[in-house]
Amino acid sequence: MPNSRLRLTPQRRIILEELRNTRCHPTADEVYDLVRKRLPHVSLGTIYRNLDFLHTQGLILKLDKVGTQMRFDAFVDPHLHISCLKCGKVADLPQNAATVTLRTEGLTDSEAGFEVTGHWLELYGVCADCGNKVVVDK
Amino acid sequence: MPNSRLRLTPQRRIILEELRNTRCHPTADEVYDLVRKRLPHVSLGTIYRNLDFLHTQGLILKLDKVGTQMRFDAFVDPHLHISCLKCGKVADLPQNAATVTLRTEGLTDSEAGFEVTGHWLELYGVCADCGNKVVVDK
DNA sequence: ATATCTGCAAAGGATTTGCACGAGT
DNA sequence: ACTCGTGCAAATCCTTTGCAGATAT
């Protein structure tokens, strides 16, 4: 039978520490850059594998609906994310910044016949930096 | 000076017709398959370029928050989408199936300093087909 | 010993792009 | 002529995977 004990390797510990040290919702390659400062020989494959592992363990969030790359978040308490339409930056907003009300009673009878099990709300806007930025390009 | 007249080429017309003939929110390669039945020599690059063109013209929606591939929708009236967690299928739901209430007054003062300009709500669940399906694999 | 984990490099999938030719005005 | 659009193929970007060696118990 397989030994299902899972290890907290230095790589995993440091990835988690770095994620917990920032609220920047870094992409995998940004995590890679952070971790490489402490583990110069770490590989990007290990970063991806362990981000996925930590996500499976429920230790981090995987944000796959924000821009073109996945982003990761070690703060797993319920909260909302807002992404900047100009620079792609992702920030946290309090959970009560928006409320979603579902009318589920009608839904299972709709033509789709779907059972609704959850939802994902994504806010977008313009961050402080980009809002203040003077537009230079034509 | 550039001639800014834009052409409704056979490729564009047929892509739009095929999209308007389905409510299946096809991916680019599914559109490719549909169009190829009528234009056997069309290329996938042309499909991508014209889907982007039609989106820029406001003629179709580009759904980039649904699964790993973009999906396209010629029905541009406001409505919601729900995607099946098991098979990835996307279906329409009436706009009033869910309401989002934003508390914007507090937001610009939050630590993020974001100005909220919009939001995207994604519902997910289990479609009728997958809900009825007997699980065979171990 | 044995299962898990890593680094490396290669493969994979989706999308975009460069280029020469074709089409419309 | 002069754009704009197309087909083809290659390139790009992000992510996943195969494999041989390393690590922990």
Side-chain angles (χ1 to χ4, degrees), chain A residues 61-106:
Chain A
L61 301 178
K62 185 189 266 196
L63 312 178
D64 61 354
K65 298 281 188 298
V66 185
T68 56
Q69 294 179 59
M70 295 181 204
R71 290 175 175 272
F72 300 89
D73 187 349
F75 296 85
V76 293
D77 297 334
H79 63 281
L80 292 167
H81 294 105
I82 181 164
S83 50
C84 177
L85 290 171
K86 298 196 178 181
C87 70
K89 193 189 316 173
V90 176
D92 293 328
L93 287 179
Q95 184 68 8
N96 66 5
T99 329
V100 178
T101 313
L102 295 177
R103 301 209 176 63
T104 46
E105 68 285 353

Side-chain angles (χ1 to χ4, degrees), chain B residues 55-69:
Chain B
H55 173 242
T56 303
Q57 302 298 116
L59 291 169
I60 64 172
L61 301 178
K62 184 190 266 194
L63 312 177
D64 60 354
K65 299 281 188 296
V66 185
T68 56
Q69 295 179 58

Side-chain angles (χ1 to χ4, degrees), chain B residues 67-111:
Chain B
T68 56
Q69 295 179 58
M70 296 182 205
R71 290 176 176 270
F72 300 89
D73 187 349
F75 295 86
V76 292
D77 297 335
H79 62 280
L80 291 167
H81 294 105
I82 181 163
S83 51
C84 178
L85 289 170
K86 299 197 177 178
C87 70
K89 192 188 319 175
V90 175
D92 293 327
L93 287 178
Q95 184 66 8
N96 68 5
T99 337
V100 177
T101 312
L102 295 177
R103 301 209 178 65
T104 47
E105 67 286 350
L107 293 187
T108 33
D109 295 317
S110 80
E111 85 186 59

